[in-house]
Amino acid sequence: MDFAGEHVISVDQFDVVKVERLFAVADGMLPYARRQRVTRVLEGAICGILFFEPSTRSRLSFGAAFHRLGGQIVETTGFAFSSMAKGESIYDTSRVVSGYVDAMVVRHPEAGAVGEFAAATRVPVINGGDGPGEHPTQALVDFYTLCRELGKRPGSLGGATVAVVGDLKYGRTAHSLTKLLALEHQIRFVCIAPPELQLPEPLVAALRERGHRVEQTEELADGLRNADVVYATRIQQERLPAGLTLDGVQDRFAIDAALYDRVCRPGTVLMHPLPRDSRNNPSELSNDLNRHPALAIFRQTDYGIPVRMALFALVLGVADQVDATARDASWYRPERFGVDDTKPMLP
Ligand code: NCD
């Protein structure tokens, strides 16, 4: 199973076998992501990172992952500084960049736009988020995190209860993750959101058709009970239609340590694609959870490196050569990344 030359546009491209191959390669990337080893397998390769929407972790983790494989990146951010501001089409931009790079990662505000980039080039294109559409690599990182947190392999999560909270309508990470988890057997999805922000109906229908249970509720405390995993998301203020005001919604769906301890089963894993919206207090997952061992959000961001390294290695066809160029790393690295981390890095 290899995906050399493939674009990564949607989670629909993945089945359990493909996910397993990706995760096995990602496991092999852990020593590099932990800075114990260095590989130069992509030395000489260049990745184009074209982000036309705000981003911190996706853009930087794609770049860091490519660098950690020994490659280099060229990038452009925002329309204002690209020729798209002069009216250049997606077709032309994609074809032009193809001549400069060996792989491309694109984030764009319109659903389907990254697929248009891919249609214009034979260089592998990875979707870094297309508006309210999909965010396949985030879902793969989320799934990888979830498997490691629960100590399970892909395909063995059957019967799990996954509570998805927040903006399930405009949040592309919730779309991609629920679609990817649909590969499992009989997941119970508890969708906790106000009616205006519930999971799109076609997605709910598709999950049910595949034999999953989908429950929809506005009651946060009730919805969290019995969850194995809670996936909190931010209200996508920038994507809400004009006139839709959702005052107080974020507070109503915010989870803090007291609520967790009161209603969640011990060990319920708390996830979030991030960013937490800290302009509101509390955010979707309150800061008083920062030292809570159940809070997996930073382990989740850390796993963005091995999973994205694995994707690059697979689409560029070097997954089996990574260790051949490796050596030990010698620079200082802490045992844990963050001051509040409860586990060593990348457990
Ligand atoms: C998410 C996104 O951009 O869709 N962030 C991310 O890539 N981790 C989630 C969000 O913006 O709310």
Side-chain angles (χ1 to χ4, degrees), residues 2-324:
D2 215 344
F3 355 153
E6 265 188 46
H7 303 301
V8 180
I9 303 301
S10 164
V11 289
D12 292 341
Q13 294 168 244
F14 287 82
D15 56 20
V16 171
V17 175
K18 210 164 166 181
V19 170
E20 281 205 296
R21 168 76 172 135
L22 173 71
F23 287 7
V25 177
D27 288 347
M29 296 299 181
L30 287 170
Y32 304 102
R34 289 189 192 113
R35 301 100 195 251
Q36 294 160 331
R37 302 274 290 159
V38 181
T39 174
R40 301 282 92 195
V41 70
L42 284 186
E43 189 162 34
I46 299 177
C47 180
I49 300 191
L50 289 72
F51 268 45
F52 301 105
E53 267 196 335
S55 171
T56 301
R57 76 221 80 243
S58 298
R59 191 164 60 84
L60 295 188
S61 69
F62 273 117
F66 208 81
H67 280 298
R68 289 212 185 271
L69 289 163
Q72 287 181 295
I73 61 162
V74 289
E75 60 182 331
T76 179
T77 46
F79 289 103
F81 297 104
S82 84
S83 282
M84 286 194 156
K86 302 180 196 167
E88 187 163 62
S89 68
I90 286 180
Y91 176 92
D92 284 7
T93 304
S94 178
R95 171 59 190 88
V96 168
V97 179
S98 305
Y100 305 155
V101 302
D102 304 287
M104 256 185 258
V105 184
V106 184
R107 171 171 285 192
H108 195 281
E110 281 161 42
V114 183
E116 283 181 47
F117 271 86
T121 178
R122 292 191 169 95
V123 165
V125 173
I126 298 180
N127 182 359
D130 59 337
E134 275 216 38
H135 196 344
T137 67
Q138 180 67 47
L140 291 162
V141 171
D142 296 341
F143 194 11
Y144 184 78
T145 306
L146 208 147
C147 286
R148 289 193 79 89
E149 291 285 316
L150 296 177
K152 302 252 187 192
R153 300 204 55 76
S156 70
L157 288 170
T161 295
V162 180
V164 208
V165 189
D167 186 347
L168 313 182
K169 179 163 184 176
Y170 300 102
R172 56 195 170 197
T173 63
H175 303 165
S176 290
L177 181 62
T178 49
K179 274 166 107 177
L180 194 56
L181 287 176
L183 295 176
E184 299 286 338
H185 294 288
Q186 298 188 331
I187 300 285
R188 177 173 163 250
F189 291 101
V190 184
C191 301
I192 310 172
E196 305 92 320
L197 299 180
Q198 264 295 349
L199 207 60
E201 208 36 60
L203 187 44
V204 173
L207 294 173
R208 286 186 175 141
E209 220 163 87
R210 292 186 72 143
H212 303 289
R213 235 166 91 187
V214 182
E215 296 166 22
Q216 293 173 299
T217 178
E218 273 192 79
E219 299 305 321
L220 179 63
D222 276 356
L224 295 179
R225 273 179 235 283
N226 297 321
D228 297 292
V229 179
V230 175
Y231 190 83
T233 64
R234 171 182 74 85
I235 309 292
Q236 309 278 297
Q237 296 291 354
E238 70 279 26
R239 303 192 201 287
L240 299 184
L244 178 59
T245 46
L246 291 163
D247 295 339
V249 160
Q250 181 160 338
D251 290 354
R252 240 188 336 125
F253 293 90
I255 300 168
D256 61 13
L259 181 65
Y260 181 93
D261 291 337
R262 186 162 59 83
V263 301
C264 290
R265 278 208 308 240
T268 298
V269 181
L270 287 176
M271 295 176 57
H272 191 308
L274 300 188
R276 286 188 277 186
D277 190 343
S278 314
R279 289 168 299 192
N280 295 290
N281 195 11
S283 75
E284 304 83 53
L285 293 174
S286 170
N287 282 338
D288 67 4
L289 288 159
N290 284 359
R291 283 172 184 253
H292 202 298
L295 191 79
I297 59 175
F298 298 118
R299 296 193 283 281
Q300 195 179 347
T301 51
D302 294 344
Y303 286 131
I305 296 293
V307 172
R308 291 189 167 109
M309 287 177 79
L311 272 173
F312 282 132
L314 284 162
V315 299
L316 291 174
V318 295
D320 298 327
Q321 302 160 43
V322 175
D323 298 334

